[in-house]
Amino acid sequence: MLNGQSGVLHDLALSSAKHFTVLFNNTNRYFSVPTFTLSSCHNLKMMKTLLLSIFFSHAAIGAFAQFNFTDSNLPIILIDTDNEIVNEPKVMATMKIINNVSGNNQITDVPNDYNGFIGIEFRGQSSQSFDKKNFGIELWDEAGEDIKFPVLGLPEEEDWILHGPYSDKSLIRNYLTFNLWAKTGRYGSRTVLTEVVINGDYHGVYVLMEKIKRDGDRVDISKLEEDENDGDDLTGGYIVKLDKINEGELVKSWESAYAPPFRQENFQTVNFLVDYPKPEDLTDAQFTYIKTYFSAFEQALYTKDFSDETGYQNYIDVASFIDYALLCELNRNVDSYRLSTFLFKDKDSDDGKLTMGPPWDYNLAFGNADYCNGGTTTGWAWDFNEACPWDYWLNPFWWNFFLQDPEYVSLMKSRWTELRNGDWSDEAIASLIDNATRKLSEPAARNFERWPVIGTYVWPNNYVGSSYGDEINYLSTWLKNRLVWMDQAIADLEVQEIVLSEEINQLSVFPNPTTNSWHIQSTENQFDYTIYSLDGRIVEEAEGIDHNTAIGSTLKSGKYLLRIINKSNTASQLIIKN
């Protein structure tokens, strides 16, 4: 018997002709030692002596993980830290990655990928309540400064995510979604399936993912400096998201002027958060610009302006919105459109229209939610507000209003046909699932030995299978049925007339386009206005005017953004002078 920091040597058993298993009680850790055979040890006492010498080696402790984990066909990530991992801030640790070309990775192999310091923290919101945690990672040097590295062959960067599927018992919902998005030709987080060990404790299957951020190999938009506050410089790049605002979180955000359809209470609003630049780096001029740009897009769409000159399509990359909608409808994620929903905008000189994506957070997709129709294979996910009008976070009005534009509907139908005849065909999607589950055959078994949730309800499972195979069959069958419904629903899709349950006070500008000046029509007697050039400069503004006042008469021919504020409403609109 040996007492030590890691427990008491409780038993030694011959597990095979070439492996011994050592159990340390009070730790539930099983270390498999492949170095010694029965022929090389004359008796049990000698075996224990040799094994105990390994036990006291830090390197060996870090290498041997519980549940007899010795090797994997997936890359192995070994993380060690003397610090407690917390939500924030990140703490210093080391990370070693074993990824052999042969695909045969032994936990005792010399690391041949990243081998250095990291900062690590828990990440996620509702997922932090799970036993299996997600981690945010930054690659650091010894001094704690960021460094870049091409982890597992992905483009070099310092910021990474280790996503540990828990309620998603297929282990591949995010992996599958991001790979389907990549087939559209757009950037999404690249992924690698791995197995992770932390401080000698086997943690199971994790998906290494790229964190969404501005970077030439990620969201490829211009860097926005603090001194870029006018002209083309001001127009990009920005990353904005629709998401929850955590208590105490420092954010720069604003509410949409347009109430979400079917809302039940005034507190149910649509919030836009600027993700890049960070709040401490975002200037007032930059914040005003991107907020005004969004407002102008929403105003054009809400007022059903589909014209080539002033319509909503002047503000957004319509094709990206269609691809995003088709992805979200394919997997029917209950959080789509309203949470973890990213958009970005580059500088106008770089075709800087508002673009949807990259997609993020799909562990509740593909029938894995038992609320708000999340488990059904029929119906549109963009109708979430109608299904769950009581939810705190609702969809913006956009997705239903797009369907009023004949061109948008036509483009959506043709794009669906194109994808279904190619990389989103039944065969292509089945191949993605098969390839992933083939890689996970043995790793999945180890994962669910470590986290025994198979056969157990984990919020918000719509289905609980009795085996990993059941979970994969459920996902595959659900997806096949969803595709059948979508094929027919999109073929039958028609232009719609949408009437919101709650109208806002309307503002209108006429004539638009104009050859001289504009007038503003409002139900309020007085209002303030600001006219911006498309490069963000204020070219005209006034307070307390009425609808009899002509505006913009001194402006040159061109396109401008008009922002109007009265007691009831704020609105923006593209205006044109010929």
Side-chain angles (χ1 to χ4, degrees):
M1 306 289 284
L2 175 76
N3 291 299
Q5 291 183 347
S6 295
V8 179
L9 180 60
H10 180 71
D11 194 11
L12 177 66
L14 185 65
S15 60
S16 69
K18 295 183 178 180
H19 293 76
F20 294 103
T21 300
V22 187
L23 167 63
F24 295 93
N25 68 5
N26 300 326
T27 64
N28 292 322
R29 293 188 177 183
Y30 296 80
F31 295 94
S32 176
V33 184
T35 308
F36 309 106
T37 65
L38 186 62
S39 60
S40 63
C41 300
H42 300 295
N43 53 48
L44 184 60
K45 182 177 180 180
M46 180 178 178
M47 290 183 222
K48 287 186 176 181
T49 301
L50 290 169
L51 289 171
L52 292 177
S53 67
I54 293 175
F55 170 72
F56 281 112
S57 165
H58 176 74
I61 289 294
F64 301 132
Q66 72 181 87
F67 299 123
N68 202 28
F69 178 55
T70 59
D71 60 90
S72 177
N73 58 298
L74 301 179
I76 299 173
I77 298 178
L78 306 171
I79 295 172
D80 287 282
T81 180
D82 293 329
N83 304 296
E84 179 185 2
I85 301 174
V86 294
N87 183 33
E88 58 180 353
K90 294 181 176 70
V91 298
M92 179 77 80
T94 61
M95 182 172 74
K96 302 176 181 179
I97 300 179
I98 300 165
N99 183 34
N100 296 319
V101 175
S102 65
N104 179 13
N105 301 305
Q106 302 287 327
I107 203 166
T108 53
D109 288 344
V110 175
N112 56 1
D113 197 272
Y114 187 78
N115 184 5
F117 294 100
I118 62 170
I120 185 170
E121 66 182 355
F122 295 141
R123 73 171 312 278
Q125 296 184 14
S126 57
S127 62
Q128 287 207 30
S129 64
F130 296 149
D131 292 336
K132 185 182 181 183
K133 306 298 185 185
N134 295 314
F135 300 99
I137 286 176
E138 286 182 353
L139 307 185
W140 287 355
D141 61 18
E142 190 171 359
E145 298 295 326
D146 292 351
I147 59 173
K148 294 184 177 183
F149 188 86
V151 177
L152 290 174
L154 302 181
E156 67 172 15
E157 242 293 345
E158 66 263 22
D159 291 302
W160 304 88
I161 303 297
L162 280 175
H163 165 60
Y166 190 73
S167 63
D168 169 20
K169 298 167 196 170
S170 75
L171 305 177
I172 61 171
R173 281 179 166 86
N174 274 302
Y175 177 88
L176 176 60
T177 298
F178 295 162
N179 277 276
L180 286 169
W181 179 251
K183 302 298 184 182
T184 68
R186 302 184 183 278
Y187 168 73
S189 177
R190 302 175 185 93
T191 58
V192 181
L193 297 169
T194 72
E195 291 189 85
V196 172
V197 177
I198 300 179
N199 286 341
D201 182 13
Y202 176 73
H203 264 54
V205 171
Y206 276 76
V207 186
L208 177 76
M209 309 191 322
E210 295 174 323
K211 180 181 179 180
I212 293 178
K213 63 179 296 187
R214 187 207 65 81
D215 183 271
D217 291 307
R218 295 191 183 178
V219 180
D220 188 11
I221 56 175
S222 303
K223 184 176 183 180
L224 186 60
E225 303 284 1
E226 288 187 62
D227 61 357
E228 294 186 300
N229 291 298
D230 56 30
D232 183 65
D233 289 345
L234 179 63
T235 63
Y238 298 90
I239 301 176
V240 177
K241 64 179 179 177
L242 288 78
D243 211 344
K244 303 173 184 177
I245 300 177
N246 298 320
E247 185 176 355
E249 182 181 9
L250 176 62
V251 296
K252 288 284 188 71
S253 65
W254 74 94
E255 292 181 3
S256 171
Y258 300 87
F262 300 100
R263 76 170 181 177
Q264 304 297 297
E265 302 288 346
N266 288 337
F267 65 76
Q268 293 173 293
T269 58
V270 175
N271 293 306
F272 301 108
L273 291 67
V274 181
D275 188 70
Y276 174 84
K278 294 302 180 186
E280 60 270 22
D281 300 324
L282 186 71
T283 69
D284 291 342
Q286 292 164 357
F287 181 65
T288 297
Y289 171 80
I290 192 61
K291 181 170 61 173
T292 299
Y293 191 94
F294 265 78
S295 180
F297 153 60
E298 291 198 298
Q299 173 78 3
L301 181 59
Y302 192 93
T303 56
K304 306 176 187 180
D305 187 350
F306 307 144
S307 66
D308 291 337
E309 289 187 308
T310 62
Y312 75 89
Q313 64 271 32
N314 287 277
Y315 302 95
I316 69 170
D317 178 346
V318 175
S320 74
F321 278 69
I322 288 173
D323 282 350
Y324 187 84
L326 292 176
L327 179 78
C328 293
E329 294 303 327
L330 174 63
N331 62 39
R332 213 190 194 296
N333 181 32
V334 293
D335 285 350
S336 288
Y337 308 120
R338 62 195 189 96
L339 296 171
S340 299
T341 297
F342 286 82
L343 308 92
F344 62 89
K345 184 190 182 303
D346 208 345
K347 296 188 186 300
D348 287 347
S349 57
D350 291 321
D351 299 322
K353 290 185 176 181
L354 199 59
T355 303
M356 283 301 307
W360 193 252
D361 195 2
Y362 287 84
N363 56 302
L364 303 185
F366 301 109
N368 196 34
D370 61 357
Y371 63 94
C372 299
N373 295 336
T376 63
T377 58
T378 60
W380 298 112
W382 60 53
D383 286 333
F384 175 90
N385 297 11
E386 188 172 1
C388 283
W390 44 262
D391 197 280
Y392 195 98
W393 297 278
L394 296 176
N395 291 349
F397 73 92
W398 311 343
W399 304 98
N400 300 98
F401 266 60
F402 285 138
L403 301 178
Q404 297 179 108
D405 178 12
E407 180 67 14
Y408 181 93
V409 172
S410 176
L411 289 171
M412 174 169 276
K413 292 164 76 81
S414 61
R415 179 58 165 162
W416 178 253
T417 300
E418 177 186 6
L419 290 170
R420 290 290 283 141
N421 287 332
D423 290 324
W424 285 14
S425 68
D426 289 351
E427 296 76 17
I429 293 174
S431 178
L432 275 175
I433 296 173
D434 290 345
N435 289 339
T437 53
R438 191 177 303 114
K439 294 177 183 177
L440 288 170
S441 177
E442 293 183 5
R446 287 188 288 268
N447 180 86
F448 292 119
E449 185 179 359
R450 177 64 177 85
W451 309 106
V453 295
I454 292 293
T456 302
Y457 175 86
V458 178
W459 181 89
N461 292 157
N462 184 63
Y463 170 82
V464 178
S466 59
S467 68
Y468 180 62
D470 286 347
E471 294 288 345
I472 294 298
N473 288 336
Y474 169 73
L475 184 152
S476 298
T477 302
W478 186 96
L479 189 46
K480 289 177 183 176
N481 292 336
R482 181 63 176 167
L483 287 166
V484 169
W485 183 85
M486 283 193 67
D487 285 339
Q488 189 61 53
I490 290 182
D492 295 340
L493 191 62
E494 297 179 347
V495 178
Q496 300 179 25
E497 180 66 28
I498 307 297
V499 178
L500 286 178
S501 60
E502 181 178 343
E503 295 289 342
I504 69 165
N505 179 39
Q506 287 297 298
L507 301 169
S508 61
V509 182
F510 67 93
N512 192 30
T514 187
T515 57
N516 185 19
S517 60
W518 298 271
H519 284 79
I520 300 172
Q521 182 66 51
S522 171
T523 55
E524 301 286 348
N525 291 327
Q526 291 188 324
F527 48 85
D528 307 334
Y529 78 92
T530 305
I531 300 177
Y532 300 85
S533 63
L534 292 188
D535 61 11
R537 292 179 296 109
I538 296 176
V539 295
E540 183 175 308
E541 60 183 339
E543 297 179 353
I545 70 167
D546 60 35
H547 65 272
N548 292 317
T549 304
I551 67 171
S553 59
T554 63
L555 297 180
K556 297 178 180 179
S557 298
K559 294 182 178 181
Y560 301 89
L561 281 175
L562 170 66
R563 183 173 176 83
I564 312 164
I565 302 174
N566 62 23
K567 293 179 181 179
S568 304
N569 188 36
T570 298
S572 300
Q573 184 170 337
L574 182 70
I575 55 177
I576 298 175
K577 191 171 189 178
N578 292 325

